[in-house]
Each structure stands twice: as structure tokens, then as C-alpha cells.
Amino acid sequence: VAAWVSHRKGGAPPFVYRIHDLPDPEKVAQLRVLAKSFGHDLKTDGRPEELPKAINKLMREIKGTEEENILKQVTIRTMSKAIYSTDNIGHYGLAFDDYTHFTSPIRRYPDLMVHRAMAHYLADGKPLDKGKLELSCVHSSQMEKRAADAERASIKYKQAEYMLSLVVQTFEVLFTVLTAWIMYLRIIANKCEGMISLRDLPGDNYSFDQEHYTVTGQRTGRRFRLGDVLEVMVRGVDMEKRVIDLSIADGGVLPDPAERSRRGQW
């Protein structure tokens, strides 16, 4: 549908496209450093068209490894957000020069916009008003983000509500996201997400290494790295903020899956 409109004789009339821009170069550089820390190379020659091949090669290399989940998450975070627009720059993630949303009008208003425009052009209608279409595209992209934010908020609320009854219990978690101040962790047993402030890490002052996605104790040298499996205790739940507060249990970082298998723990 998108290609039929964008390649019409006489030039492409205004239309609603689903577009996806190039990845953020800075985030790609961070992904390259993280992959290197796990022993993998994200090799490109600098051309944008080479990056998808390099990412696909990396995904094949890490399949079935301990670091697969983390590297996939970081790879996704390097990508731009797909939006609706009348400016057809293509869809980078799908590798399409022309792409739109067409099939789900029961839940997406942009599909109806596309259907109406398609019917208009099939009937040899004049080019639609690009400005008006663009306003609708911007609004639709904003509403899509709002809906996604609401979905995440509701999930966080129900997770926090569930964990209220599990305070002081211990769980194994996967270290999934790191910022300059906070470690975010996903409980393996139930997928609930909690957090630990770096200032609450026990026994040391910890520094944040953005390039390598690690935090390291300044005195002890103890290190926590994205992808580590940790043992934590549920310290408390803040329902107003929808936050699950965790703390490192005595065991701390658990052995890697292969080692745990040898011990009979998995």
C-alpha cells in the first residue's frame, strides 16, 4: 500500500507512513563497548546500511549465551522510536523503503486515515492536505506513546501490589538496566521489576561505569555488571510511586548458569 502511493506516476501525494529513523550513533557506540566486554565484535565500516548486518551477526553469535538477553535489550534501546509521518524516510528496523499501518482499524486510528486516503486516491482524488495529515500523524504518535506509558504504569502498579505480600522474602533477579544512580532488576520467578539505589549497595561506595554497564566498589573492587544474576531481598513496596525496593542478599552475585548446573542448582 505504501509503495503504491509513494511510487505513483506524477509524484507521491501526501500520505500517512509509519517511519523509523536511524539508530542513535552514541547508543550504538555504547552497544559496541558492551558487546566487546562479553567478547563479541559489532563490526561496521561506518556506513548506515552495514549496521543491520552487523547487528544480525551479533544476534546469531549470542544466541543461547548467558549475555543474550542483556545484549538484545541494549540493542533495542539503540533504536529510534517508530512514529507516524507524512515524510517518508522509510522504516529502518524493518528495512523497508515504504511502510504504513493498514490492517488494524479496530484499535489504531492511523489505519483508518490510511484506508480513507487509499480510497480517495483510488478514486482519482486530488492530493490531500499535507499539513492536516501531518497534524493527525503527530497526534497519533503522541497518543500511541501515552497508551504505552499507561500500559507500563498499570503493569508496575499490579506488580507492586502483588509484591506487597512478599516483603522480606528473597529472590533471584536479573540485572537488566543501569543508570548513574539506580540498578533495575527483574525477578526471574515472576518477571516483576524492582530497583536498588547505588547508595544502598552494602559495604562500599560504588561508582558507575556507563561504557561497560557496571558499578564497582571503590574500596573492595566488587563489581556488578548488566546481565548478572543476583540474590536479593524485597525490602519494601511504595504503592504511591509503584516502586519495589530491593536489597542485595548475603549471597550477592550468583555463579553463571554453567557453574550452577555443575553444582546441581539449576
Side-chain angles (χ1 to χ4, degrees):
V1 169
W4 180 84
V5 174
S6 64
H7 298 289
R8 294 190 75 191
K9 292 180 180 179
F15 194 61
V16 176
Y17 297 96
R18 180 71 167 176
I19 64 170
H20 187 230
D21 208 346
L22 298 174
D24 184 321
E26 185 176 333
K27 291 181 179 180
V28 172
Q30 292 175 357
L31 172 62
R32 184 176 288 110
V33 170
L34 180 62
K36 190 71 174 178
S37 72
F38 285 105
H40 304 286
D41 287 323
L42 183 66
K43 292 183 177 180
T44 62
D45 60 7
R47 292 181 298 165
E49 60 268 26
E50 287 299 306
L51 183 57
K53 298 176 183 178
I55 289 177
N56 286 335
K57 182 176 182 293
L58 176 64
M59 293 300 104
R60 289 194 297 270
E61 288 179 358
I62 64 175
K63 188 173 179 61
T65 65
E66 181 186 1
E67 62 268 21
E68 178 181 10
N69 185 57
I70 295 304
L71 287 176
K72 279 186 174 180
Q73 287 189 44
V74 175
T75 299
I76 290 171
R77 289 201 290 270
T78 67
M79 299 297 167
S80 302
K81 179 74 177 70
I83 61 172
Y84 299 103
S85 177
T86 56
D87 295 321
N88 183 22
I89 65 170
H91 196 295
Y92 179 84
L94 296 177
F96 288 146
D97 292 330
D98 309 287
Y99 185 65
T100 192
H101 275 170
F102 187 80
T103 58
S104 302
I106 60 171
R107 70 183 182 91
R108 287 196 302 236
Y109 182 70
D111 296 75
L112 290 177
M113 293 165 58
V114 169
H115 293 177
R116 291 166 182 167
M118 183 77 167
H120 178 75
Y121 291 140
L122 283 170
D124 294 324
K126 295 181 179 180
L128 297 169
D129 188 306
K130 178 179 171 66
K132 289 182 179 179
L133 271 185
E134 184 60 29
L135 283 176
S136 295
C137 286
V138 171
H139 178 73
S140 295
S141 297
Q142 292 172 342
M143 293 302 101
E144 179 185 24
K145 183 181 184 303
R146 184 179 292 183
D149 290 344
E151 181 180 4
R152 283 192 291 269
S154 67
I155 290 172
K156 283 183 175 294
Y157 181 86
K158 298 307 290 185
Q159 287 180 345
E161 185 179 55
Y162 173 71
M163 294 302 293
L164 271 174
S165 62
L166 301 175
V167 173
V168 309
Q169 292 194 29
T170 58
F171 294 91
E172 292 179 9
V173 297
L174 185 66
F175 184 6
T176 56
V177 179
L178 176 63
T179 71
W181 307 104
I182 296 173
M183 296 168 58
Y184 291 95
L185 309 117
R186 185 172 68 242
I187 298 174
I188 294 173
N190 56 32
K191 310 303 181 186
C192 292
E193 295 183 341
M195 57 170 280
I196 300 177
S197 172
L198 297 192
R199 66 186 179 186
D200 292 331
L201 289 174
D204 207 340
N205 292 319
Y206 284 81
S207 60
F208 167 59
D209 183 342
Q210 183 176 1
E211 284 193 357
H212 296 89
Y213 289 86
T214 61
V215 289
T216 305
Q218 296 176 9
R219 179 175 53 82
T220 62
R222 186 182 188 188
R223 186 178 71 165
F224 298 98
R225 183 172 71 171
L226 212 64
D228 281 344
V229 176
L230 312 175
E231 187 172 12
V232 302
M233 181 185 74
V234 181
R235 189 171 66 171
V237 176
D238 186 330
M239 287 302 301
E240 184 175 346
K241 295 181 179 178
R242 297 184 288 274
V243 169
I244 302 168
D245 286 314
L246 306 173
S247 61
I248 299 293
D250 292 339
V253 180
L254 298 174
D256 62 56
E259 176 64 21
R260 300 188 73 197
S261 179
R262 286 192 292 271
R263 296 182 186 182
Q265 294 176 298
W266 277 7

